[in-house]
Amino acid sequence: MKNKWITALAIFNYLTFLKVWNYFLLHISFQISRLIRKPVLWGKPTTLSVEPTTSCNLRCPECPSGLRSFTRPTGMLQDQLFEKVILQSKSYLTWLHLYFQGEPFLNPRFLEMVKFADQNKIFTSTSTNAHYLDKVTVDKILKSGLKQLIVSMDGITQEVYQQYRVGGNLEKVQKGLKLLIEEREKIVNNYPRVILQFLVTGQNEHQIPDLKSWAKKMKVDELQLKTTQVYDFEEGSELIPSDLGYSRYIPSGDGKWKLKKKLENKCWRMWQGAVVTWDGQVVPCCFDKDASHVMGELKSQTLMAIWNSNSYQAFRNQLFMDRSQIEICRNCTE
């Protein structure tokens, strides 16, 4: 598998003094904030997650898109709003993840958005269930400037795969992934770097050895074994693997389950970046899937006005006071 230096090189090629200085200011102000237990914010967001759509072709059991359980509106990101975000942030933004909820390739303008961001010297990444990697789409991907593609594949046989990726077709995913890697090799291109992501559950953990062999044969650039988020983890779930090294949760000793990692009153994500929903709402992080903590609206405000707003600063302040009082933080691995 190719080393991560390929990703680092792509980021480095798009760096400017202003972007590096901005990151330094964010890091220093975060450390000062931790010391004085109050939010000090000197920089601008260095990363953004922007949501192309909330639509999805699958029905994964721990995903609002899959469960069709959003309380917020669903829809497609429009070019005008996306370009507004990019033009406002391009001087300091180092990483753009074009994903939040949904399947991004369902937005017919998705790859044009990738190309626009790349032309503005912003590193681009996305996540997909890989059901739309046909010849036409693969050719567009390779021309878009996309630097990183995360492919979710949580099983090495159809029987196991479909237990979590409900409605999914493993053969279609594997053929599309193979096509992308082969076409990328033909034009001697390192991008997009392909990361195969495997959510480890109690249903698929036995397939990890076979998965590693398959990933090596397929020549993916990286294999990530990722812990699975379970909403009602306190009561346990068949999704929690028996190998707790792959679990976010551990038994609490009273028949219940708890987070493995202690919830600390701090969060770098609140200084690093933000999440933008398809309709222009700015929320603090990717755990706020239902947009219950809206910091502002990009249709009527600038990104920086929202970033420095009283509501955002109050949210950051709450992190230092008692993070456990914030619902979206109670299932967080940060």
Side-chain angles (χ1 to χ4, degrees), residues 53-315:
T53 181
T54 45
S55 299
C56 191
N57 53 309
L58 303 184
R59 300 189 70 93
C60 305
E62 293 294 318
C63 173
S65 294
L67 294 171
R68 313 303 197 257
S69 63
F70 283 118
T71 58
R72 63 184 173 98
T74 59
M76 298 277 180
L77 176 65
Q78 300 299 308
D79 288 9
Q80 185 177 9
L81 176 59
F82 176 73
E83 291 175 8
K84 178 182 178 181
V85 174
I86 297 304
L87 294 176
Q88 285 185 16
S89 61
K90 66 178 183 178
S91 64
Y92 49 83
L93 197 63
T94 59
W95 189 298
L96 175 67
H97 191 48
L98 269 161
Y99 175 77
F100 178 28
Q101 297 297 295
E103 168 52 49
F105 284 93
L106 285 174
N107 187 319
R109 299 287 297 167
F110 171 64
L111 289 172
E112 282 78 7
M113 295 176 188
V114 171
K115 182 178 288 188
F116 183 80
D118 184 70
Q119 289 171 343
N120 281 279
K121 304 300 180 184
I122 300 170
F123 180 97
T124 51
S125 171
T126 194
S127 299
T128 178
N129 59 48
H131 279 73
Y132 300 97
L133 300 182
D134 56 23
K135 183 64 168 65
V136 173
T137 302
V138 164
D139 288 344
K140 288 181 179 179
I141 290 172
L142 294 172
K143 294 174 182 176
S144 69
L146 183 68
K147 295 298 186 287
Q148 181 169 279
L149 182 70
I150 301 170
V151 174
S152 298
M153 195 188 85
D154 312 314
I156 201 68
T157 62
Q158 177 65 26
E159 180 184 8
V160 171
Y161 173 79
Q162 67 188 9
Q163 290 182 55
Y164 188 81
R165 299 289 166 181
V166 179
N169 184 319
L170 180 62
E171 182 181 6
K172 191 172 186 179
V173 171
Q174 292 179 332
K175 282 184 177 179
L177 186 57
K178 183 174 186 288
L179 176 65
L180 173 61
I181 293 172
E182 288 177 346
E183 293 299 309
R184 190 187 67 176
E185 287 186 344
K186 285 180 184 178
I187 61 173
V188 195
N189 191 357
N190 286 322
Y191 306 105
R193 188 167 180 270
V194 176
I195 298 176
L196 187 64
Q197 189 174 87
F198 188 87
L199 289 178
V200 182
T201 70
Q203 300 164 336
N204 66 17
E205 59 185 315
H206 65 285
Q207 293 194 325
I208 291 176
D210 289 338
L211 171 74
K212 290 180 177 179
S213 298
W214 185 87
K216 185 176 182 179
K217 179 181 177 182
M218 189 59 62
K219 299 181 182 179
V220 300
D221 300 302
E222 183 181 347
L223 172 63
Q224 289 183 352
L225 301 177
K226 188 178 179 182
T227 60
T228 303
Q229 178 185 359
V230 179
Y231 281 108
D232 298 319
F233 63 86
E234 293 90 350
E235 301 300 324
S237 168
E238 62 181 1
L239 294 176
I240 299 176
S242 58
D243 185 343
L244 297 182
Y246 295 118
S247 174
R248 299 186 187 189
Y249 317 101
I250 56 175
S252 59
D254 57 357
K256 302 285 187 178
W257 291 75
K258 64 180 181 179
L259 279 174
K260 180 191 295 184
K261 190 174 181 180
K262 182 181 178 182
L263 195 65
E264 298 184 46
N265 290 330
K266 64 181 180 66
C267 184
W268 163 238
R269 291 187 186 188
M270 294 306 101
W271 274 253
Q272 181 186 46
V275 176
V276 179
T277 64
W278 70 270
D279 54 350
Q281 294 183 326
V282 176
V283 298
C285 83
C286 60
F287 276 83
D288 193 6
K289 294 177 173 62
D290 233 357
S292 56
H293 298 275
V294 177
M295 299 296 149
E297 302 267 358
L298 285 170
K299 291 181 179 179
S300 58
Q301 300 168 273
T302 65
L303 179 60
M304 285 314 302
I306 298 170
W307 182 248
N308 293 305
S309 66
N310 291 335
S311 58
Y312 222 140
Q313 285 293 78
F315 188 88

